[in-house]
Structure formats: structure tokens, C-alpha cells
Amino acid sequence: MKTLLALVLGLFLAAPAASQVRIEITGGAESALPIAVVPFRENRVSPGLDMAQVIRDNLYRSGLFDPIRPSDYLGSPSRFEDVRFRNWRALGADTLVVGNVSPLDNGNYRVRYELLDVYAGNRITGQRFSVSPEGLRNLAHTISDQVFEALIGRPGGFNTRVAYVEERGNVDNPEYRLVVAEADGHRPQSILTSNEPLMSPDWSPDGERLAYVSFESGRSSQIFIQDVASGERRTVASFSGINGAPAWSPDGEQLAITLSRGGNPDIYLIDINANSEPRQLTRHFGIDTEPTWSPDGQHLYFTSNRGGSPQIYRLPVSGGDAQRVTFEGNYNASPSVSEDGRFLAFAHQTDSGFKIAVQDLDQEFMSVLSDGQLDESPSFSASGSMIAYTRSSAKGTELATVSVFGRVQGQLIDFDHTVREPDWGPL
Amino acid sequence: MNRPMQWLSLIAITLLISACASNNDNIDDSEMAEIDQSTQGTSTAGVADSESFEGEALEDPSSPLSERIVYFTYDSSNLSNEAMDLLEAHGEYLADNANRQLLVEGHTDERGAREYNLALGERRAEAVKQALLLSGARDGQISTVSYGEESPAMNGSSEAAWSQNRRAELLYER
């Protein structure tokens, strides 16, 4: 357990000693922690949600955990005192989550869980909550977060939201929706419906607003900012030509956007709270678009075909020359930067189609993570351990996740409609 | 150029335009065909039969002007020779008909990044506009818009669908 934990922690903490770090594309979960999450005992209640299952799915999708199947469990303890650790050692579990749900007088539930170290035979962490019936799923995400953070040493980000675009109808009569859902795709809620295309949702750093592109004017794209809770919105860019690719600055004060009002697509900055002129950052006759910020707000990564084909470049926000960042292949686009600024995810064209790839920005080492034909629109999770993206499906497109470490691929819930362009919200 | 014939064609076009104005902003072939029948009283047919005049009516199926889509290769906004020939005809038509307005829509196939494709679609629409200007159209006659990959002509993930979707559409306005 200790060795394994140290190994995994090493993946994250060894950033200064870059040469030690290697991203292994194992296809399996070689360094993933074996964990058992026992179904929570339901005392005189049946809340209708298998919280342990939600937690197992969350942990599995991160690529850092290898949950053991419940059918293999020997017993179903619900608290530390009842656990026979020898049984769980025999099963190969390093850690164990037990818990129970009880009714409260006001119709709410009391939920109690404990995270146990199977080898040391002690308690790592645990907590007691009172929660409304509607809050149970969120609580399962919160417990996932606590387990993840206790064992990995950084936030899990399971209790975050994802925004995406949904398309219904057919070619002749389409309907587009901007949807906000839990990070695992559950409980989707439309915040905008339109008969014209919607694109490129981007969360504000405080997780309260979304910037997006809408064609509702009928003649050109516009950029809107919408408050997710109230639904209030306003136009922030409606210039001649393209208004696209909004990206919030880490301080939430600015948007990097693409405008073509100067004759061709370039990157501009606009202030959210002031009606000042957009500040032009790139000046090139090629296509410059898809800006995204480094977490320190000092640089923008963006896609440009200035070298002949789309590649990702990095530009100091304060001014200066753009430097090319991606070199493998003829088409790399749609950059997303991990929260620690270390990794860049992007859509990468190979001989067998478009894949999601990740590049270690320190080592310039690129790995292909996904294996679809038309994978696109990668978005790092707040924890940096997962990437959400769009992949093709029988119905059109769907949302999927891939773990940065260990290559665990998952599908967000089964969608009834074609969905795309996930943007993972902040913690 | 045969002056009376030019006038005749202008009158015919004007009649057609006013006839269709009450129906729809955009002109397409099927609609124009209907209008053609309902305006048989005018001498449209006689004009269209003539091969000697320039600036053919848009609805004449034998005219290059009836073709209003140009296609592109993957990740490119270069115009093929066929596209250049077609756009030359449209550019000359616009030059001869200063009152006509044209919207050029740029589109891409589904492959690659959506925002990059939005930009690529605009490059295609702009390339078409430049070709039209070269053939005499005036800047104020042409507006452009890109829909990127958001508005495919054909659904599907095959080269057959992709080749139909990598396009610029010429939409004449009233």
C-alpha cells in the first residue's frame, strides 16, 4: 500500500524532477489503487441511489483507482468496528470505504462514511453528513472527492459541473441546447435553446457564468455571457465577421476571443466589465483561433495554421512572439491546459483519424490517449487527472472521458441526443 | 453586345425578381421554376432561348449561374479551376446587375476543431468573395458568413458526406 501510494503520489509530486516522470499508456490500470467501496447499509430507509456505485464509478474514471467488483466482497460491513481486515487483504484491496444511511426526523438522511487502510487496519478519514434526498448524489461526489484527496493528495473535482452543447431534430429542423450537468453527466439542465447553432461553452473561473457562441442573429456568430443560476445574459462581442472561441482569463476579468473584423481570424482580448475596444494580440494572415489561458494568466495557447497546417502555439499575453508548441503530426488543435499548467491536451490527427493527445509541456513528450475516429474538443477536469471530450457514436456524437494516467476510458451517461463540446467546470 | 437583347434580359430579370420578392428572400432553383410558370405571360421563355446575350437569368438551368455551390478539398480554402470558372460567371453577373446582393456562406466538414473550422469556413467564403471581386463584382454587393461545421449539407461520417459539406454557398438576395 505504502509503496503503491508513493508511486502514484510520485506521478503528481515529482514535477520538479521532470526526468523521473513518464506517462505510461498501459491500456490497463497498472498503478491504479485497488479499492473496495462497500454498498452503504440502508437503515430503515431506501433512498433509491447506490452511493457506493457512484463513488466507485467516479474513482474508476479517474484512472488512479481500480475498484474491486462488489460481487467479490466477503461481507458488507458498514463501519470500522465491523471490518475484518484480513478478508479485504485477501481480496487485494489496499483501501476500503464503508458507510451507512439513516433517516432523520425531517425527511432528510444521515450519511456516515469511513475510509480505511486495509493493511494498517486503521481509519484514514471519515465524516458524517445530514443531507436532503435530492442532495444524495452530490454527497456521493463529495465523498469521492474526500477519498481521492486523502489518497492522492489533491482535489478530485467530482463535485463539479460540465457544460456541453446538445443537438436535437434533424438537418432541416435542428434544435440546439446549452446544457449544464453534473461532472458524471447526470441531471442535465438546459440553460438555452435555439434553432441556430450554439458553440464553444466556457465556464467562468468562479463557476457561475458561461461564455458561448450563438448564431441566433441569423447572420453571424456572437459571443454571450450567461449567468447559469439566473439565466440572465448579455452580448459581449458582435463584430463584423467571426465572433468565436471565448476563453475566460483565470482572474475572470477578461475573455480571449477570436475576431475576424480585421480581415482574418486573430486573437483579441476584451474586458468583461468595461466597454473598451478589443485588444488585438495576434496579427497574422493565417487562421489564429481557439485561445486558452495558462493557469497563471501569463500566456495564451492557441491554434494557428501559420506554419501551413493547424498547430498549437504559445503567446505571452503581455506581448511578444508566438512559439510553436506541437510538432508531431499535421493537425493539432483545440488546446486545453491542465490546472497545474503542466499538460496540454488537444485533438491530434493520425492516420486513423482524430484522437485526444496530451503533451507534457516540460518534456515535450506527446501521448495519444483515446482511440476513436473523430475525437475532439478535449477539456481537462479541475483535478487534472481526466479529460472530457467528444467522440462519434451511432447517434452522432457523445461525451466521453479518458484518464491522463492509466488510460481508463469512460463514457458519460447514455445520452438520448447528439451531444458535444464538453467544458469541465472549476472546483 | 446586342443592346436591345440586354435590355430585354434586364426587364425579364426585373420582372422575375419582383415576382419572387413576395415569396421569399432567397432564390433557389425550384422556386424560380414555379415562378417561371406563373409568369408565362411575360416573354421570359423567348429570352432564355436566345444564346446571344450575356448576363443570363439566374434560373436558366443551362446557365453556369444556376450552379451556386463551390466545393473544397480538406483543410483548404483554395478554389479549383471549375470553381474559378463558376465564380467568374457570377462575378460578371453581379457586375452587370449592381442592384443584386449576394451572401456567401462558408462551410466545412466535421473533421477537426470546431472553432478552427469556423475560421476555415470564413476563409472559404472570403476566397469566393475575392474571386467574385476579381470578376467585377463590387465589395458592397457581397457579404460573407461562416457556419464552420455547424450546418452540414449531408449527415454522416464518410468522404461522400464530407465532400458535400466542404463548400461555399452563394445565396442571392432580393
Side-chain angles (χ1 to χ4, degrees), chain A residues 26-290:
Chain A
T26 61
E30 199 171 89
S31 59
L33 298 175
I35 188 169
V37 185
V38 182
F40 285 16
R41 175 168 299 166
E42 297 173 352
N43 301 318
R44 308 183 308 281
V45 286
S46 48
L49 175 73
D50 186 347
M51 297 180 73
Q53 182 70 46
V54 175
I55 296 166
R56 274 194 298 273
D57 288 349
N58 280 339
L59 295 175
Y60 181 60
R61 260 201 301 268
S62 75
L64 297 173
F65 290 86
D66 185 14
I68 297 165
R69 281 181 305 176
S71 55
D72 293 342
Y73 295 173
L74 308 161
S76 50
S78 68
R79 49 189 194 134
F80 175 53
E81 291 79 7
D82 301 338
V83 174
R84 304 179 69 166
F85 283 105
R86 202 178 45 179
N87 287 347
W88 298 97
R89 268 178 232 137
L91 196 59
D94 286 350
T95 53
L96 179 66
V97 176
V98 296
N100 52 67
V101 186
S102 319
L104 289 171
D105 289 341
N106 55 6
N108 288 351
Y109 298 117
R110 165 143 294 153
V111 177
R112 189 173 172 279
Y113 90 95
E114 292 166 290
L115 171 64
L116 308 173
D117 182 333
V118 170
Y119 282 84
N122 62 19
R123 206 172 86 130
I124 299 167
T125 186
Q127 201 172 329
R128 209 167 63 175
F129 307 87
S130 68
V131 62
S132 67
E134 310 79 61
L136 274 176
R137 176 171 280 281
N138 276 343
L139 180 56
H141 293 321
T142 297
I143 293 172
S144 308
D145 279 339
Q146 293 187 354
V147 169
F148 187 97
E149 183 149 19
L151 297 177
I152 305 297
R154 53 193 246 159
F158 300 111
N159 214 353
T160 55
R161 294 190 287 183
V162 64
Y164 56 88
V165 174
E166 180 176 290
E167 184 179 341
R168 301 183 177 198
N170 53 43
V171 170
D172 297 321
N173 189 21
E175 180 183 286
Y176 303 87
R177 289 166 184 243
L178 186 57
V179 183
V180 172
E182 290 178 23
D184 61 359
H186 280 87
R187 293 205 296 210
Q189 290 178 292
S190 297
I191 66 162
L192 182 71
T193 303
S194 174
N195 292 118
E196 298 295 335
L198 300 170
M199 284 178 77
S200 307
D202 190 59
W203 284 100
S204 64
D206 61 9
E208 292 178 1
R209 289 165 292 171
L210 278 169
Y212 57 87
V213 174
S214 172
F215 285 80
E216 65 198 68
S217 77
R219 264 305 155 84
S220 122
S221 53
Q222 294 172 290
I223 300 172
F224 289 85
I225 291 176
Q226 182 164 332
D227 185 278
V228 172
S230 71
E232 279 173 38
R233 64 173 198 160
R234 61 191 170 97
T235 315
V236 292
S238 184
F239 299 95
S240 157
I242 291 175
N243 297 268
W248 293 85
S249 62
D251 65 7
E253 298 290 317
Q254 292 178 298
L255 281 182
I257 60 175
T258 301
L259 298 177
S260 63
R261 63 174 196 163
N264 66 301
D266 278 308
I267 312 288
Y268 291 72
L269 289 184
I270 53 172
D271 289 325
I272 305 289
N273 301 310
N275 265 334
S276 50
E277 266 293 285
R279 184 180 138 213
Q280 187 170 357
L281 284 186
T282 66
R283 291 168 200 280
H284 196 280
F285 57 83
I287 293 172
D288 292 339
T289 188
E290 301 185 314

Side-chain angles (χ1 to χ4, degrees), chain A residues 1-20:
Chain A
M1 164 72 199
K2 283 272 150 37
T3 333
L4 264 178
L5 187 55
L7 253 177
V8 174
L9 284 174
L11 278 175
F12 288 98
L13 302 177
S19 60
Q20 301 286 317

Side-chain angles (χ1 to χ4, degrees), chain B residues 53-110:
Chain B
F53 73 95
E54 295 171 27
E56 295 99 325
L58 284 170
E59 81 285 3
D60 183 351
S62 66
S63 156
L65 294 176
S66 67
E67 188 55 56
R68 299 189 201 136
I69 302 180
V70 294
Y71 296 97
F72 296 85
T73 57
Y74 175 63
D75 192 24
S76 167
S77 54
N78 294 337
L79 293 163
S80 64
N81 289 336
E82 293 87 347
M84 287 300 285
D85 290 346
L86 176 63
L87 295 172
E88 191 178 340
H90 281 278
E92 287 171 358
Y93 173 76
L94 286 165
D96 292 342
N97 297 273
N99 60 329
R100 297 312 304 263
Q101 298 282 318
L102 182 69
L103 174 66
V104 183
E105 283 186 2
H107 299 270
T108 72
D109 69 29
E110 63 177 343

Side-chain angles (χ1 to χ4, degrees), chain B residues 4-170:
Chain B
M5 285 310 276
Q6 192 183 28
W7 278 113
L8 205 59
S9 68
L10 259 177
I11 292 163
I13 290 164
T14 313
L15 279 171
L16 282 167
I17 290 164
S18 49
C20 100
S22 56
N23 283 3
N24 198 308
D25 285 356
N26 293 335
I27 296 166
D28 66 33
D29 293 341
S30 55
E31 209 168 79
M32 292 302 279
E34 269 175 46
I35 291 159
D36 213 8
Q37 285 175 352
S38 67
T39 55
Q40 269 173 357
T42 66
S43 58
T44 318
V47 174
D49 279 345
S50 163
E51 296 190 329
S52 62
F53 73 95
E54 295 171 27
E56 295 99 325
L58 284 170
E59 81 285 3
D60 183 351
S62 66
S63 156
L65 294 176
S66 67
E67 188 55 56
R68 299 189 201 136
I69 302 180
V70 294
Y71 296 97
F72 296 85
T73 57
Y74 175 63
D75 192 24
S76 167
S77 54
N78 294 337
L79 293 163
S80 64
N81 289 336
E82 293 87 347
M84 287 300 285
D85 290 346
L86 176 63
L87 295 172
E88 191 178 340
H90 281 278
E92 287 171 358
Y93 173 76
L94 286 165
D96 292 342
N97 297 273
N99 60 329
R100 297 312 304 263
Q101 298 282 318
L102 182 69
L103 174 66
V104 183
E105 283 186 2
H107 299 270
T108 72
D109 69 29
E110 63 177 343
R111 291 177 291 172
R114 303 192 92 87
E115 283 283 357
Y116 179 82
N117 281 340
L118 187 61
L120 179 60
E122 188 182 73
R123 299 306 288 260
R124 288 177 176 167
E126 287 294 327
V128 166
K129 179 178 175 176
Q130 290 308 316
L132 293 168
L133 295 179
L134 275 176
S135 299
R138 278 169 294 277
D139 193 54
Q141 286 179 281
I142 306 164
S143 50
T144 59
V145 64
S146 172
Y147 284 95
E149 65 178 278
E150 308 302 317
S151 192
M154 187 191 283
N155 274 344
S157 297
S158 61
E159 180 53 39
W162 293 335
S163 62
Q164 292 296 303
N165 293 335
R166 293 188 300 264
R167 71 202 191 276
E169 297 190 11
L170 278 56

